[in-house]
Amino acid sequence: EARKYAESIVDTLHEPLVVLDTDLRVVSANRFFYQSFKVTPEETEGRLIYDLGKHQLDIPELRELLEEILPRNTFFEGFKVELDFPNVGRRIILLNARRIYRETNKTQLILLAFEDITERKKAEEKLKKHEEQLEELVEERTRELKEKTTELEQTNLRLQDADRHKSIFLATMSHELR
């Protein structure tokens, strides 16, 4: 019953997830893993995690992280990789892993979750480009406003100067008429 419960939880996740044994071989994966990476259980189960696809996960830093989980009873989160999957294309993935211990048969496993952040990264890049374009427009408008303000100030000074000359002229004419 507990096994069915756990399997139901894992299968409900919309995040690809694999279960690895102590040798880092795939014990199982959830249906979303198979759907996301367009692979079958036959192509996945029993194989070393590093051998999946075209050995794309054979990354020294990932290998070190995974191999440290079991002896130290640890986990890691947010290990970012960019990979070209044969049936899916280029993806940006965050890997999260956690060691679990099964008390009933005294075995250790690693849950390895794949969070595909490709679309989020594309949206962030698009947003960044829009922000940069907006900043350029604001700078351009600010520059134009400064130029117009300078022109208005110069015009105002000319008008004040003209008013002063007019006042002097009128005062001079008034004085001469008296």
Side-chain angles (χ1 to χ4, degrees):
E1 191 174 305
R3 180 180 169 92
K4 284 183 181 179
Y5 176 73
E7 286 174 354
S8 295
I9 291 172
V10 168
D11 223 25
T12 302
L13 296 175
H14 286 278
E15 190 173 88
L17 180 79
V18 295
V19 178
L20 306 173
D21 66 13
T22 54
D23 296 324
L24 301 176
R25 291 188 180 281
V26 177
V27 174
S28 63
N30 67 352
R31 65 183 169 86
F32 206 69
F33 177 85
Y34 297 121
Q35 289 172 356
S36 296
F37 300 113
K38 296 179 177 43
V39 292
T40 64
E42 294 77 30
E43 296 170 299
T44 307
E45 293 176 10
R47 297 186 66 192
L48 285 172
I49 189 69
Y50 311 120
D51 293 340
L52 296 181
K54 294 179 180 177
H55 303 278
Q56 295 154 352
L57 293 173
D58 194 2
I59 303 165
E61 296 88 0
L62 176 61
R63 185 179 287 267
E64 183 180 331
L65 286 169
L66 288 172
E67 290 172 0
E68 292 297 315
I69 287 176
L70 291 174
R72 293 190 182 176
N73 188 23
T74 59
F75 65 94
F76 68 82
E77 295 176 341
F79 181 77
K80 185 173 127 180
V81 293
E82 291 188 42
L83 304 169
D84 285 313
F85 292 94
N87 303 323
V88 182
R90 186 130 187 102
R91 308 307 290 170
I92 301 170
I93 307 288
L94 287 182
L95 297 172
N96 303 305
R98 181 169 304 278
R99 175 193 162 288
I100 58 172
Y101 182 75
R102 294 193 304 190
E103 191 66 43
T104 53
N105 58 2
K106 309 286 188 229
T107 57
Q108 298 179 67
L109 297 171
I110 296 175
L111 296 178
L112 180 62
F114 296 73
E115 181 183 356
D116 187 344
I117 61 168
T118 307
E119 296 308 315
R120 181 173 75 198
K121 285 295 185 184
K122 285 180 183 177
E124 287 172 1
E125 287 173 17
K126 194 174 184 178
L127 181 61
K128 184 178 177 182
K129 285 181 184 176
H130 286 302
E131 286 174 351
E132 288 170 356
Q133 290 172 340
L134 185 59
E135 282 180 30
E136 287 175 14
L137 287 173
V138 167
E139 286 175 14
E140 183 180 322
R141 295 296 180 252
T142 302
R143 191 172 47 256
E144 289 172 0
L145 283 171
K146 284 180 180 178
E147 289 172 5
K148 294 296 180 189
T149 301
T150 301
E151 286 176 23
L152 284 172
E153 287 172 349
Q154 289 173 350
T155 301
N156 190 31
L157 286 174
R158 283 194 296 270
L159 287 173
Q160 287 175 356
D161 194 41
D163 279 347
R164 215 177 14 253
H165 286 303
K166 182 179 170 185
S167 296
I168 292 171
F169 175 75
L170 289 175
T172 304
M173 291 302 283
S174 172
H175 183 66
E176 287 179 7
L177 288 174
R178 283 192 215 152

